[in-house]
Amino acid sequence: MQLAYQTIKTAEQENIPDILAALEQLSDILCQVTYFSKAYEILSTAAKDINGSAVLHEMIARVAFVMEDFSKCIYHNNKAAKLQPDDCSHNKSDIGLAYYRMGLQTGQNKHFESGFKFCREALELNSMNSNAMVNMGLIYKHQNGIEDALKMFKAAKQHDAINIAAIVNIGCIMYEEYSKFDEAALLFLDALEVKPDDEEALCNLALALKRTSYLDYAKMAFEEAVNVSPGNTFILTNYMMFLLEQ
């Protein structure tokens, strides 16, 4: 990985902004083909050479999150936050999300408490941070605070009308908790207008539609979800169950 970084460094004539841009592009390519460990190693090698780059630590944190190494994600987001104390609301929000995922991973309530704390700090720094609202809503939902979760998701959507996570989570509550399948389906369609290949919105659209009379459309949504994410076992399992039920 040292050689890969040195090649980039030489090609970009040791210009830091250009090196960071090249590293981000390479990291994205590697992650698209699931070479997460290689992306992490190259970025970590760069971090040993480039001191004081919040952007680089954020890149490493994103890769660590995809690898589900939430401790490293938290560590690097904390590093980035310390390097940009006046503009770190997004780092605090990402730390909150990582703690939430760590809580799901370990089943330890203390991680949800930490996640909530960091989301609250993110909102104290930037009251318009819709992602922090969504992450706080996820924690509320996991702890069965459905009404509080719904308030947070709706607040996030109000501040950012195209926040896909907010829209999808409102839809999930509509069909999971209130059996409002048609309303949920419309929300998932709204999310797909923003991002047509969002696998979570597609899968949830299919799950909502299968509870209505629009079974042909449910089948189409499942098929599109499988095309978008053929390796997603949750989508495949639900699609097979749907076919067996017909």
Side-chain angles (χ1 to χ4, degrees):
M1 296 308 108
Q2 180 72 32
L3 178 60
Y5 170 62
Q6 288 299 331
T7 301
I8 290 173
K9 189 176 177 181
T10 302
E12 302 302 337
Q13 300 180 338
E14 302 200 18
N15 181 287
I16 298 299
D18 290 343
I19 291 172
L20 291 174
L23 285 169
E24 184 169 24
Q25 184 177 24
L26 177 59
S27 174
D28 287 344
I29 292 170
L30 289 171
C31 287
Q32 285 171 13
V33 293
T34 68
Y35 289 166
F36 306 121
S37 295
K38 292 186 183 298
Y40 185 86
E41 289 172 20
I42 291 171
L43 294 175
S44 296
T45 298
K48 294 174 184 176
D49 183 52
I50 302 173
N51 295 316
S53 173
V55 171
L56 182 52
H57 283 292
E58 288 175 355
M59 283 190 235
I60 300 172
R62 285 196 294 272
V63 175
F65 185 89
V66 175
M67 293 169 64
E68 297 191 351
D69 191 333
F70 302 117
S71 293
K72 287 179 180 176
C73 176
I74 290 165
Y75 172 81
H76 285 285
N77 267 308
N78 267 318
K79 287 283 238 183
K82 289 177 181 177
L83 289 167
Q84 50 190 11
D86 296 327
D87 184 26
C88 65
S89 176
H90 62 292
N91 299 125
K92 300 280 187 179
S93 175
D94 288 347
I95 292 169
L97 180 59
Y99 269 119
Y100 163 74
R101 290 291 301 275
M102 191 184 291
L104 295 179
Q105 195 178 62
T106 65
Q108 295 181 355
N109 194 55
K110 66 179 183 180
H111 296 314
F112 297 115
E113 293 172 356
S114 294
F116 196 88
K117 170 181 171 288
F118 277 97
C119 289
R120 187 171 59 245
E121 289 180 8
L123 289 170
E124 288 171 356
L125 290 167
N126 177 10
S127 62
M128 305 288 283
N129 188 331
S130 61
N131 288 330
M133 296 174 197
V134 169
N135 296 340
M136 192 174 281
L138 290 171
I139 297 170
Y140 274 132
K141 185 181 178 187
H142 178 75
Q143 297 178 329
N144 294 317
I146 301 302
E147 289 300 323
D148 287 328
L150 187 57
K151 287 177 184 176
M152 294 308 301
F153 296 142
K154 286 184 175 180
K157 185 173 180 290
Q158 183 178 355
H159 286 293
D160 180 6
I162 59 171
N163 187 309
I164 295 175
I167 300 168
V168 169
N169 276 288
I170 294 169
C172 287
I173 288 178
M174 287 299 104
Y175 89 80
E176 289 173 356
E177 303 295 332
Y178 302 121
S179 299
K180 295 183 178 181
F181 307 118
D182 290 336
E183 185 175 339
L186 290 173
L187 283 160
F188 299 136
L189 287 170
D190 287 343
L192 289 167
E193 283 189 15
V194 179
K195 187 181 178 187
D197 62 348
D198 188 89
E199 61 189 78
E200 189 175 0
L202 282 165
C203 183
N204 280 298
L205 173 62
L207 291 172
L209 288 173
K210 70 177 273 192
R211 303 294 296 274
T212 70
S213 59
Y214 304 112
L215 297 181
D216 288 343
Y217 290 110
K219 185 173 185 291
M220 290 170 60
F222 271 126
E223 289 172 349
E224 185 62 26
V226 171
N227 287 335
V228 167
S229 185
N232 189 314
T233 56
F234 180 82
I235 294 173
L236 288 170
T237 299
N238 278 281
Y239 183 36
M240 293 304 297
M241 289 176 63
F242 169 78
L243 293 176
L244 290 171
E245 291 167 0
Q246 304 311 302

